[in-house]
Amino acid sequence: MRQHEVLQEEQRIMDQVVILAGGHGSRMKAAIPKPMLEVLGVPMLGWVVQACEAADLRNICVVTGYKSQFIEHYLNNKYKTVLQAERLGTGHAVMQAVPVLEENPDGNTLVLCGDAPFMDSETIQQAYQLHTAQGNAVTVITAKLDNPFGYGRILRSETGIAAIVEEKDATDAQRQIQEVNSGAYWFRTADLLTLLKGLSQSNVQGEYYLTDTIGLALEQGKKAGAYLTDNTDVVLGANTRKDLLHLNEVARWKVLEKHMENGVNFINTDGIIIGKDVEIGAETTILPGTQLKGRTKIGARSTIGPNCVIENCVVGEYVILNYVQAYESVIEDSVKIGPFVHIRPNSHIRSGVKIGDFVEVKNSVIGESTAIAHLTYVGDSDVGKKVNFGCGTVTVNYDGIKKNRCVIGDNCFIGCNTNLIAPVKLGKGAYTAAGSTVTKDVPDYALAVERADLKVKEGYSLKKLKSKLFPEDKNKN
């Protein structure tokens, strides 16, 4: 590794992030912390953390508050947390992270809001470059808005930034300024530790404001700057359910536009929701009512929908899914599934498979070119190639205590209404007669027939239905 790369690596290790995620969001009427409310299925905090990770920032400390256990569970010990027991402002929140900051005082610290999900890695990196190049004690990330109402305005000077003026304190002339504070800052860590000590509660709210660090820095002869990002959405947050809905709509269209640029086709976008981490190949069509979640990956030239839910699945090319719900499974190329099919976790549907209406597959491998036409349950099974399932087939995989597997060889033919009582194995090319309950292994190319002898009782129904068929006889009595 070259010397400058070693220095960059050492600098990245010293740089750190403080994410403010202690808010309650009482107007949301939520039973969880506000940053845990979801945008496109991912907590707002998760969006912020992923932006930091994409910017190669590894030392992250999350400041928690209201019901902190939800955030700690979500982070799963991956990053440090500190508790803000009392909510006394943004400056006070950062103060809770001082012990963590003191571990690497020679680096820089990025402060972000955990409920502002659209901060991006490019903005983080470019703001950092400006911050270090100018030798600033603090660099504010800003954006220009057509309608800046409600945001703190940025007052610039010849050497950088002069102040941040809140809406309620601004003059009429200052309210015309379109550049606003995003609530995100880069600090030189040693300067941040000093500036935090100078914050006071001498304001109407009685809180410690992080914005006051700008004035303090300038008073102490330190440099303060501002990085103006092209991503105006970095300022967006949510204080109400209406705000949260707006964030979801903004995110939804960002994702849809990205996929359209990559060659994905949409006939109509009604009800289509695609997660931020979903990948879709070119010339694939997504039909209305479809939800693609988690880290789903879909190949090229497939048709998904209408009304599909696909979560954490890998789907191949030339696949047709119609009214399908699939979770944590693999669906290979040229598969056709639907309508009204449920693919449950840990299933692997191999190429050329056809699955028809009202079929459920769970924790099973379905071999190439197998056909499961309709009204069938295949659970905990290993199915070979070119198998044909008749209507009403069930793999009976649960004995009330444990799950057992069925093994079905290549080219088997399963007759309608067959019950395969696991564990059981059908050899290659084996047949089962319709209506059979198979409890023993069937050898290659054999026929399994399990039916009781048919008994016919003459006149049984005549006696039973006599009063309905011949009501006049009843009247005679």
Side-chain angles (χ1 to χ4, degrees):
M1 186 179 291
R2 297 177 182 177
Q3 185 175 2
H4 76 280
E5 292 176 336
V6 173
L7 293 173
Q8 287 179 343
E9 179 70 14
E10 291 176 351
Q11 185 65 52
R12 278 196 295 268
I13 292 172
M14 290 188 292
D15 291 336
Q16 48 202 322
V17 184
V18 175
I19 301 177
L20 310 184
H24 178 183
S26 56
R27 282 186 284 173
M28 294 283 193
K29 295 181 174 60
I32 59 176
K34 184 171 68 169
M36 290 302 296
L37 295 172
E38 294 184 349
V39 174
L40 290 189
V42 177
M44 289 188 281
L45 175 61
W47 284 71
V48 179
V49 169
Q50 288 179 25
C52 295
E53 292 171 340
D56 200 24
L57 292 169
R58 306 168 188 173
N59 299 324
I60 299 175
C61 176
V62 179
V63 181
T64 66
Y66 175 73
K67 294 193 175 181
S68 60
Q69 67 271 23
F70 286 94
I71 290 176
E72 290 167 357
H73 177 74
Y74 176 72
L75 295 175
N76 194 28
N77 297 317
K78 187 175 182 181
Y79 297 114
K80 298 175 183 177
T81 62
V82 294
L83 178 66
Q84 184 188 19
E86 295 182 272
R87 292 188 292 278
L88 297 175
T90 52
H92 181 258
V94 178
M95 290 177 187
Q96 311 315 301
V98 164
V100 177
L101 298 177
E102 290 176 337
E103 295 175 7
N104 286 299
D106 297 328
N108 296 279
T109 297
L110 174 66
V111 178
L112 297 174
C113 298
D115 58 355
F118 299 142
M119 178 56 66
D120 63 283
S121 60
E122 184 178 357
T123 293
I124 290 171
Q125 291 169 330
Q126 291 182 352
Y128 177 82
Q129 290 170 7
L130 178 74
H131 173 70
T132 55
Q134 293 183 347
N136 294 334
V138 53
T139 301
V140 186
I141 297 176
T142 67
K144 275 191 176 180
L145 304 180
D146 292 335
N147 179 15
F149 179 79
Y151 292 94
R153 306 304 202 278
I154 302 298
L155 304 185
R156 284 187 175 266
S157 65
E158 292 182 1
T159 57
I161 182 174
I164 300 174
V165 180
E166 298 301 325
E167 173 83 28
K168 61 181 180 297
D169 300 321
T171 66
D172 290 340
Q174 289 169 341
R175 290 192 182 98
Q176 301 306 309
I177 297 172
Q178 293 180 300
E179 187 177 7
V180 302
N181 177 22
S182 71
Y185 310 79
W186 271 110
F187 289 92
R188 194 158 47 212
T189 304
D191 290 328
L192 175 59
L193 291 169
T194 301
L195 295 170
L196 288 174
K197 294 176 182 178
L199 294 181
S200 72
Q201 296 172 275
S202 57
N203 52 66
V204 175
Q205 298 296 326
E207 297 182 345
Y208 298 96
Y209 293 145
L210 193 59
T211 51
D212 289 345
T213 57
I214 305 297
L216 287 173
L218 295 174
E219 288 174 8
Q220 296 173 17
K222 303 179 188 295
K223 295 183 67 175
Y227 171 74
L228 177 61
T229 178
D230 293 331
N231 177 13
T232 58
D233 291 333
V234 298
V235 304
L236 294 179
N239 292 314
T240 65
R241 293 287 179 173
K242 184 177 180 180
D243 294 338
L244 187 63
L245 174 62
H246 178 64
L247 292 182
N248 273 277
E249 276 298 295
V250 170
R252 187 174 85 96
W253 274 102
K254 279 178 177 287
V255 171
L256 291 176
E257 288 169 359
K258 178 190 74 173
H259 288 298
M260 284 186 271
E261 289 171 0
N262 292 335
V264 178
N265 185 46
F266 299 91
I267 297 171
N268 184 300
T269 60
D270 287 354
I272 294 177
I273 300 174
I274 301 176
K276 64 188 295 291
D277 298 316
V278 172
E279 299 178 34
I280 308 175
E283 297 186 78
T284 284
T285 297
I286 309 299
L287 295 175
T290 292
Q291 298 182 45
L292 306 178
K293 301 180 177 182
R295 297 193 175 275
T296 291
K297 183 176 181 179
I298 297 173
R301 294 172 289 279
S302 292
T303 301
I304 312 298
N307 300 311
C308 289
V309 177
I310 313 297
E311 184 170 355
N312 293 320
C313 290
V314 176
V315 180
E317 298 185 347
Y318 299 100
V319 172
I320 298 174
L321 303 181
N322 174 20
Y323 280 84
V324 173
Q325 292 201 7
Y327 303 89
E328 298 173 18
S329 295
V330 175
I331 300 170
E332 294 186 0
D333 297 345
S334 303
V335 169
K336 183 177 181 181
I337 304 180
F340 312 119
V341 173
H342 189 184
I343 307 296
R344 291 170 60 188
N346 301 315
S347 294
H348 192 143
I349 314 299
R350 297 197 183 275
S351 61
V353 168
K354 294 182 179 179
I355 300 177
D357 53 309
F358 303 104
V359 171
E360 181 175 351
V361 178
K362 171 247 178 186
N363 189 29
S364 296
V365 177
I366 310 298
E368 289 90 340
S369 301
T370 284
I372 311 174
H374 39 213
L375 298 165
T376 292
Y377 171 69
V378 182
D380 300 297
S381 298
D382 300 298
V383 180
K385 303 175 183 178
K386 298 182 179 179
V387 174
N388 187 85
F389 283 80
C391 174
T393 296
V394 175
T395 59
V396 185
N397 56 325
Y398 185 49
D399 63 7
I401 298 175
K402 63 180 181 179
K403 301 290 179 69
N404 298 291
R405 295 190 75 82
C406 290
V407 178
I408 300 171
D410 296 345
N411 299 297
C412 284
F413 185 96
I414 315 299
C416 292
N417 296 310
T418 292
N419 297 310
L420 301 176
I421 311 299
V424 72
K425 180 178 180 180
L426 303 187
K428 292 185 293 184
Y431 274 47
T432 69
S436 295
T437 296
V438 180
T439 58
K440 299 178 181 179
D441 291 352
V442 180
D444 295 350
Y445 306 110
L447 169 65
V449 183
E450 193 282 326
R451 294 173 182 162
D453 292 337
L454 179 65
K455 296 180 180 179
V456 178
K457 295 186 177 181
E458 297 285 349
Y460 173 81
S461 63
L462 183 61
K463 294 177 182 178
K464 192 174 185 67
L465 302 175
K466 186 175 181 180
S467 62
K468 292 184 178 180
L469 296 175
F470 307 105
E472 64 276 8
D473 292 343
K474 183 177 180 181
N475 294 335
K476 289 178 182 178
N477 296 332

